[in-house]
Amino acid sequence: RGKSKANHHRAGAGMSGSETPVVSFDYAFLGDKRQNTDKEDEDSGDQHEDEDDAIKTTVLVGRDAKSRVCCAKPMPQKGVDIMEWSLREGLRFLDFLGYASVVIKSDQEVSLGSLLGRMKTHRGEQTQTMIERSPLGDSKSNGFIERTIQSVEGQIRTLKSATQSRIGARITPGSALFAWMTIHAANLINVYEIGSDGRVPY
């Protein structure tokens, strides 16, 4: 209590002075940076160095500024994929939040903008969806979702480390277990992360 920063006296992070809920989206890229400490890695040469680094999981991270509920969905690629998995999962998250009117916010990334544009189109006539793009180089406007990505990545690393120590095997980013772990990490944050109001997001 003596050393911590005082709580901000404002309506809510990312609310932009509006009563309309703001849901921010951004991509995270999760990989497995393997340390070359094993003798087999030292003997294998450069051609096998950090072979898991080539396997990166693209994760769509979203968070509602009002309730602080977040999601983390592994994606086949950035933007809209051929099976429209990213579109369906993004819409599923917005449906879970239950807002009739919502602002979906992102940075200036083209692939993410195309996905949010498709989400807006598919939301239907009974809803009002607005898209907000943060200015280029404005890190403060992206701080809310960036902190969320850091929390999700930290929770995934914790789950991965604990699971690997129990099963005695490495979990690669491209595995089905890692994909499930990504979704589960966001669910744990929703159910257990206590905010400044003393409540959890869920």
Side-chain angles (χ1 to χ4, degrees):
R1 292 178 60 183
K3 295 182 179 179
S4 63
K5 294 181 180 179
N7 291 332
H8 296 289
H9 299 286
R10 57 189 180 189
M15 294 299 289
S16 303
S18 172
E19 294 299 325
T20 305
V22 178
V23 181
S24 300
F25 288 94
D26 202 357
Y27 286 116
F29 303 96
L30 305 177
D32 190 3
K33 292 186 178 180
R34 186 175 183 181
Q35 299 291 334
N36 286 331
T37 53
D38 298 336
K39 190 174 187 305
E40 62 178 3
D41 290 336
E42 296 174 358
D43 296 339
S44 61
D46 294 337
Q47 59 183 354
H48 298 295
E49 182 179 355
D50 292 340
E51 58 185 19
D52 284 341
D53 280 348
I55 305 174
K56 295 283 187 181
T57 298
T58 302
V59 179
L60 179 66
V61 179
R63 191 160 212 181
D64 172 27
K66 186 176 181 179
S67 66
R68 306 191 327 276
V69 170
C70 69
C71 74
K73 305 288 187 178
M75 297 295 164
Q77 64 183 51
K78 294 167 62 175
V80 181
D81 56 282
I82 191 171
M83 299 299 294
E84 295 190 334
W85 166 260
S86 55
L87 176 62
R88 286 184 279 120
E89 287 300 305
L91 291 172
R92 183 179 176 188
F93 178 58
L94 293 179
D95 290 343
F96 173 76
L97 294 174
Y99 297 130
S101 299
V102 66
V103 175
I104 48 179
K105 184 176 180 180
S106 70
D107 55 17
Q108 296 287 333
E109 189 172 359
V110 176
S111 59
L112 183 56
S114 65
L115 172 61
L116 298 189
R118 293 285 297 277
M119 288 168 59
K120 177 182 178 179
T121 303
H122 282 73
R123 283 267 289 166
E125 298 178 355
Q126 303 299 322
T127 61
Q128 183 179 14
T129 307
M130 294 157 281
I131 297 178
E132 179 181 333
R133 301 268 181 91
S134 59
L136 281 172
D138 189 358
S139 59
K140 290 184 179 180
S141 61
N142 293 329
F144 179 67
I145 190 64
E146 287 176 359
R147 288 193 301 273
T148 301
I149 289 175
Q150 291 173 0
S151 297
V152 170
E153 288 177 343
Q155 187 62 51
I156 292 172
R157 284 195 301 267
T158 303
L159 290 172
K160 181 183 172 188
S161 177
T163 305
Q164 286 182 156
S165 66
R166 283 168 170 80
I167 67 177
R170 296 181 63 233
I171 301 172
T172 58
S175 66
L177 181 57
F178 188 86
W180 171 86
M181 200 172 285
T182 302
I183 300 171
H184 186 57
N187 291 337
L188 289 176
I189 292 173
N190 292 333
V191 176
Y192 293 111
E193 184 182 69
I194 300 176
S196 58
D197 57 358
R199 298 182 178 183
V200 299
Y202 185 75

Coordinates of all heavy atoms in Angstrom, one line a residue, residues 32 52 159-161 163-164 167 169-175 177-178 181:
D32 N 8.6 -21.1 -29.2 CA 9.4 -21.8 -28.2 C 10.8 -21.6 -28.4 O 11.5 -22.2 -29.3 CB 9.1 -23.3 -28.3 CG 9.7 -24.1 -27.1 OD1 10.2 -23.5 -26.2 OD2 9.5 -25.3 -27.1
D52 N 12.5 -25.2 -33.1 CA 11.1 -24.9 -32.7 C 10.8 -23.4 -33.0 O 9.7 -23.0 -32.9 CB 10.8 -25.2 -31.3 CG 10.6 -26.7 -31.1 OD1 10.3 -27.4 -32.1 OD2 10.7 -27.2 -29.9
L159 N 1.5 -22.3 -17.5 CA 0.8 -23.5 -17.8 C 1.8 -24.5 -18.5 O 1.8 -25.7 -18.2 CB -0.4 -23.3 -18.6 CG -1.6 -22.6 -17.9 CD1 -2.7 -22.3 -18.9 CD2 -2.2 -23.4 -16.8
K160 N 2.5 -24.0 -19.5 CA 3.4 -24.9 -20.2 C 4.5 -25.4 -19.4 O 4.8 -26.6 -19.4 CB 3.9 -24.1 -21.4 CG 4.9 -24.9 -22.3 CD 5.5 -24.0 -23.4 CE 6.5 -24.7 -24.2 NZ 7.2 -23.8 -25.1
S161 N 5.1 -24.6 -18.6 CA 6.2 -25.0 -17.7 C 5.7 -26.1 -16.7 O 6.4 -27.1 -16.5 CB 6.8 -23.8 -17.0 OG 7.8 -24.3 -16.1
T163 N 3.1 -28.0 -16.9 CA 2.6 -29.3 -17.6 C 3.9 -30.1 -18.1 O 3.9 -31.3 -17.9 CB 1.7 -28.9 -18.8 OG1 0.6 -28.1 -18.4 CG2 1.2 -30.2 -19.4
Q164 N 4.9 -29.4 -18.6 CA 6.1 -30.1 -19.1 C 6.8 -30.8 -17.9 O 7.3 -31.9 -18.1 CB 7.0 -29.1 -19.8 CG 6.6 -28.7 -21.1 CD 7.5 -27.7 -21.8 OE1 7.6 -27.6 -23.0 NE2 8.3 -27.0 -21.0
I167 N 4.6 -34.0 -17.1 CA 4.6 -35.1 -18.1 C 6.0 -35.5 -18.6 O 6.1 -36.6 -19.2 CB 3.7 -34.8 -19.3 CG1 4.3 -33.6 -20.1 CG2 2.3 -34.4 -18.9 CD1 3.6 -33.2 -21.4
A169 N 7.9 -34.1 -20.8 CA 8.1 -34.0 -22.3 C 7.8 -32.5 -22.6 O 7.2 -31.8 -21.9 CB 7.1 -34.8 -23.0
R170 N 8.4 -32.1 -23.8 CA 8.3 -30.7 -24.2 C 7.0 -30.5 -25.0 O 6.6 -31.4 -25.8 CB 9.5 -30.3 -25.1 CG 10.8 -30.3 -24.3 CD 11.9 -29.8 -25.2 NE 11.8 -28.5 -25.6 CZ 11.8 -28.1 -26.9 NH1 12.0 -29.0 -27.8 NH2 11.7 -26.8 -27.2
I171 N 6.4 -29.4 -24.9 CA 5.1 -29.1 -25.6 C 5.5 -28.0 -26.7 O 6.0 -27.0 -26.4 CB 4.1 -28.5 -24.7 CG1 3.7 -29.5 -23.6 CG2 2.8 -28.1 -25.5 CD1 2.8 -28.9 -22.5
T172 N 5.3 -28.4 -27.9 CA 5.7 -27.5 -29.0 C 4.5 -26.6 -29.4 O 3.3 -26.9 -29.2 CB 6.1 -28.3 -30.3 OG1 4.9 -29.2 -30.7 CG2 7.3 -29.2 -30.0
P173 N 4.8 -25.4 -29.9 CA 3.7 -24.4 -30.2 C 2.7 -24.9 -31.2 O 1.6 -24.4 -31.2 CB 4.5 -23.2 -30.7 CG 5.9 -23.3 -30.1 CD 6.1 -24.8 -30.0
G174 N 3.1 -25.8 -32.0 CA 2.1 -26.3 -33.1 C 1.2 -27.4 -32.6 O 0.4 -27.9 -33.4
S175 N 1.4 -27.9 -31.4 CA 0.6 -29.0 -30.9 C -0.8 -28.6 -30.5 O -1.1 -27.5 -30.2 CB 1.3 -29.7 -29.7 OG 1.3 -28.8 -28.6
L177 N -2.3 -29.6 -27.8 CA -2.2 -29.2 -26.3 C -1.9 -27.7 -26.1 O -2.5 -27.1 -25.3 CB -1.2 -30.1 -25.6 CG -1.1 -29.9 -24.1 CD1 -2.5 -30.0 -23.4 CD2 -0.1 -30.8 -23.5
F178 N -1.0 -27.2 -26.9 CA -0.6 -25.8 -26.8 C -1.8 -24.9 -27.3 O -2.0 -23.9 -26.7 CB 0.6 -25.6 -27.7 CG 1.2 -24.2 -27.5 CD1 2.1 -23.9 -26.5 CD2 0.9 -23.1 -28.3 CE1 2.7 -22.7 -26.3 CE2 1.4 -21.9 -28.2 CZ 2.3 -21.6 -27.1
M181 N -4.2 -24.9 -24.4 CA -3.6 -24.1 -23.3 C -3.7 -22.6 -23.5 O -3.9 -21.9 -22.6 CB -2.1 -24.5 -23.2 CG -1.4 -24.2 -21.9 SD 0.2 -24.9 -21.9 CE -0.2 -26.7 -21.7

